[in-house]
Amino acid sequence: MPGTDERGSDNAAQLGQVVTLRRDGRFAEAASICDELASRAVSSSTESTDTTVTSDAAFYFQAGLTYFFAVRPHEAMGMLRRARSAGAGTPVGDDAPAVLGLMHALRGEGPEARAALSVDRSPRRHHRAGARLAHTAEQVAAVLLAIDRLESDVALDILVDIEASTAPNELWALVLYAQGSLALLTRTPMDGLRRIKAEIRRHPELHAGYNAVLVNAIRADLELALGDFDRAQNLIADSTHLFTAPVHARLRLLTGDPAGSEALVHHYGTDPNCTPRQAMELAVLGAAAACALGRDTEARPHLDRAIALSQQTGLLRPFTMVSPLMARHLGSLGVALPTAAEPTALDTATYPKSKPVVRLTPRERAVLDGLIAGRSARTIAKVEFVSVNTVKTQLRSLYRKLGVNSGKDAVIAARHLVLD
């Protein structure tokens, strides 16, 4: 960075500390140093040398990466744009568009991602650390773009290439997110979960900041695909980040709470910080929730919004991020889905399992509550002020609805169903 040799040396040392902290998963500390460096006069001199330009660009690049992992996306993208501009014609200026492209791809901004990745970086020397990171960023961005277009074979080929090389720790979570996303698309959620859990065991220090948001979001979706709703809930329970908003809404929908899902869609869908990816997923979920509530007329505007976003961004995958039953209902609304999405959206069982909703009468629910409390039929009859024969009649009806033959089995079944 500009200034005296001593000041420049100090800044370089601090920038090195930023990189070290970031690689250790200490993102907040790294961002704090970047804040301090940014508060100084980055370029107060009217003179500009090649060294000054290179050091400015290096700071912007490293600050951009740091702010991204510290969950400060707008500052991250601003810094990376500065790195691209300040470092034009330098290695850092060549690397910045690759990371920008990855961030755009993660946000679901397909045209912007492709524009950033179209920069010619053929002269780049791949043995440089920055170049290796930029190359991985390009690859992960390409994987996400392919998945968004439902091109699973293309995504798999690129991921195999990434796994064959040593992926930088800097992009650890983004590689895992891409792997998990492909596992969802190809309906191999268990394989995706195994990989992610193994990586967390190897690098627990990296499971922090935005890394944790990304990894936990994709893990939760993989658990939903396996029908383990409790684990999915535990993974995202404490997160209010917009990135997990669609997962929260999807969880509500799959566990028989379409009204709760719809409320989340309305709450997060109007947030100005919502990315195109999140907005489109929420629009599809809003349509599915309205359908589940028997309000097809209200579902259509949500679906129209999803289609408009798909046309703007090239995103198709959100149409597959529902259960087959929900997808079929969306397909019956008379709104034409994008041509490439329709057959996949209607046939792909991304979330094949959901908790069925069992509607009980007040008397049946009282009898079930009695069973859960360990009461006998005679005791339930006394508590409810009815005859034992009435309780037995309610038990037969309860067993039929739950698909069981005993009070013990009814209690077990109740834990795995949504009771209304």
Side-chain angles (χ1 to χ4, degrees), residues 33 49 73 75 120 124 140 191 259 269 275 286 289 306 318 333 365 385 401 411 418:
I33 296 175
T49 66
E75 292 165 281
D120 180 17
R124 180 191 291 154
V140 176
D191 290 343
T275 69
L333 293 178
R365 186 59 191 255
F385 302 102
K401 288 184 178 181
V411 172
V418 176

Side-chain angles (χ1 to χ4, degrees), residues 398-410:
L398 178 66
Y399 293 168
R400 176 179 55 79
K401 288 184 178 181
L402 298 182
V404 298
N405 298 305
S406 70
K408 181 180 178 181
D409 288 341

Side-chain angles (χ1 to χ4, degrees), residues 323-398:
S323 72
L325 180 62
M326 295 171 191
R328 281 194 292 274
H329 202 148
L330 294 180
S332 70
L333 293 178
V335 180
L337 300 180
T339 305
E342 189 149 4
T344 308
L346 300 182
D347 298 337
T348 301
T350 305
Y351 301 95
K353 297 180 181 179
S354 62
K355 284 188 178 181
V357 178
V358 177
R359 289 181 169 81
L360 304 179
T361 66
R363 187 61 58 79
E364 290 167 346
R365 186 59 191 255
V367 169
L368 177 60
D369 289 342
L371 293 176
I372 292 172
R375 299 179 186 133
S376 66
R378 188 173 298 278
T379 303
I380 293 172
K382 288 182 179 179
V383 171
E384 296 298 319
F385 302 102
V386 296
S387 70
V388 173
N389 285 336
T390 297
V391 171
K392 289 181 178 179
T393 299
Q394 297 301 328
L395 279 172
R396 285 194 295 271
S397 176
L398 178 66

